[in-house]
Amino acid sequence: MNIKIVCVGKLKEKYFKDGIAEYMKRMDRYAKMKIVQVPDEKAPEKLSPAEMEQVKQIEGERILSKIKDKEYVFVTAIKGKERTSEEFAKEIQDLATYGHSDITFVIGGSLGTSPAVNKRADDLISFGKFTMPHQLMRLVLAEQIYRAFMINNGSPYHK
C-alpha cells in the first residue's frame, strides 16, 4: 500500500519534523508513506474574500498537480466526517481490500482547501471542530495512519 500526504507549506519546527519522521519510520514495515509539500502562496495578513479564494485556488492547483487519477483521496476539512480510530482503521483496511492501494491525504494551507480540491476528494475527513495549525495536523495525521495500521494488525499500541 502507498500512503501519500500532500500538504501546503514547509515544516519549520524540529519537533514536528522529528515526530513525523518517527511515525514514517514505524510505517516502513506496513506501507510506503511519503509526504509531498507544495509551496504556500504568499499573502498579506488582511485579505478580502476574493483574495482568499485566489490564494486557495493557487494552492489548490499545486495540490491537484500531485494527485494521480487512481489515488483514493481524503481531504482534511472541519466540515468532513469525524471517525473513531477504529472506524478509520476499518476504512483503510476496506480500501486496501477493494483495490485502492494508493491513498492520498490532503492538508490545505492556513485558509483551507479550494472547491476544486474538495471536489476531487473521495472523502472529507475531520479531526474535530478545533482549528489546528497545518504543521500540527501533519503530525496528528501521521500518528492516526500509524494507529490504523496497528489496530488492523491487532497490536497493543492502540490501547
Side-chain angles (χ1 to χ4, degrees):
M1 176 171 277
N2 297 303
I3 308 266
K4 178 168 58 179
I5 300 173
V6 179
C7 41
V8 175
K10 283 195 165 109
L11 202 54
K12 298 172 188 85
E13 295 85 353
K14 183 181 180 334
Y15 51 92
F16 286 141
K17 288 179 183 177
D18 290 347
I20 292 165
E22 177 62 28
Y23 288 113
M24 290 185 73
K25 184 175 85 177
R26 291 180 184 190
M27 281 294 297
D28 278 348
R29 44 197 280 222
Y30 303 104
K32 183 180 172 202
M33 189 159 105
K34 71 178 180 176
I35 293 182
V36 176
Q37 297 179 141
V38 300
D40 55 345
E41 184 63 14
K42 301 297 178 227
E45 283 293 313
K46 300 250 186 212
L47 294 173
S48 71
E51 289 169 323
M52 285 184 196
E53 287 306 310
Q54 185 178 15
V55 167
K56 288 197 298 188
Q57 180 189 346
I58 293 166
E59 290 176 348
E61 289 167 4
R62 292 174 183 159
I63 290 167
L64 291 170
S65 75
K66 303 298 181 187
I67 299 173
K68 295 181 177 68
D69 287 345
K70 67 177 182 164
E71 295 170 6
Y72 189 94
V73 179
F74 286 96
V75 172
T76 59
I78 288 175
K79 292 182 178 172
K81 179 183 170 203
E82 291 184 48
R83 299 148 167 84
T84 65
S85 294
E86 294 85 358
E87 289 167 340
F88 182 57
K90 181 172 181 346
E91 220 170 331
I92 296 292
Q93 189 170 44
D94 288 350
L95 286 170
T97 300
Y98 297 106
H100 294 286
S101 58
D102 296 300
I103 301 174
T104 297
F105 294 87
V106 173
I107 302 171
S110 59
L111 299 175
T113 50
S114 69
V117 170
N118 293 342
K119 186 176 181 209
R120 170 58 184 91
D122 292 289
D123 205 343
L124 298 179
I125 186 169
S126 174
F127 287 80
K129 294 182 181 178
F130 286 113
T131 300
M132 284 188 232
H134 50 282
Q135 298 92 331
L136 176 59
M137 191 62 234
R138 287 187 208 185
L139 178 59
V140 170
L141 179 58
E143 192 281 334
Q144 284 298 306
I145 292 168
Y146 175 70
R147 181 177 296 272
F149 278 84
M150 294 300 88
I151 291 169
N152 290 339
N153 283 283
S155 167
Y157 171 84
H158 175 59
K159 303 293 177 229

